[in-house]
Amino acid sequence: QVDLVESGGGLVQAGGSLRLSCTNPRNTASIVAVGWYRQAPGNERELVANIGSGGTPMSVDSVKGRFTISRDRRTVYLQMNSLKSEDTAVYYCYEDIKPSIESPIIRLWGQGTQVTVSS
């Protein structure tokens, strides 16, 4: 099931930039955390960046200094600069929500957007 709407993927030359966006068109529940994963062909899905409950952005070493995660009230962004061929993957956003005090945290996913970096 896809609950988040992603946009911004595409084909770019190495060294170029893209900005991915991820919007939840319906949710009004409390948002605990947001982030981005990616999955390259033949590889497992890996975390790229997130913003946890404390509000501090985090990114993995392979993208540190090149990718920046940010958010506003309804949208999560992933600004990707200095792209490399190894960044080629399908990128998935997620949102951890807590609909009520009694409910567990639920993870929502985007549909995935292809990013292809040509060398």
Side-chain angles (χ1 to χ4, degrees), residues 11 18 54 88 90 109 112:
L11 174 64
L18 285 173
T88 295
V90 178
W109 288 99

Side-chain angles (χ1 to χ4, degrees), residues 1-87:
Q1 181 179 350
V2 174
D3 298 288
L4 308 177
V5 179
E6 299 182 34
S7 62
L11 174 64
V12 64
Q13 288 188 330
S17 298
L18 285 173
R19 189 175 82 153
L20 306 183
S21 300
C22 173
T23 300
N24 186 334
R26 293 181 297 274
N27 180 54
T28 58
S30 177
I31 298 173
V32 177
V34 296
W36 292 89
Y37 278 77
R38 68 185 179 186
Q39 187 167 21
N43 291 356
E44 295 186 353
R45 192 175 292 193
E46 64 171 355
L47 179 66
V48 175
N50 67 10
I51 302 176
S53 57
T56 301
M58 183 283 295
S59 58
V60 298
D61 286 346
S62 60
V63 306
K64 205 177 292 286
R66 300 188 298 120
F67 290 12
T68 302
I69 185 172
S70 62
R71 60 172 292 195
D72 58 28
R73 193 175 73 86
R74 298 298 297 273
T75 303
V76 182
Y77 304 96
L78 185 67
Q79 178 66 44
M80 305 185 295
N81 299 328
S82 301
L83 282 160
K84 305 176 181 179
S85 57
E86 51 262 45
D87 295 320

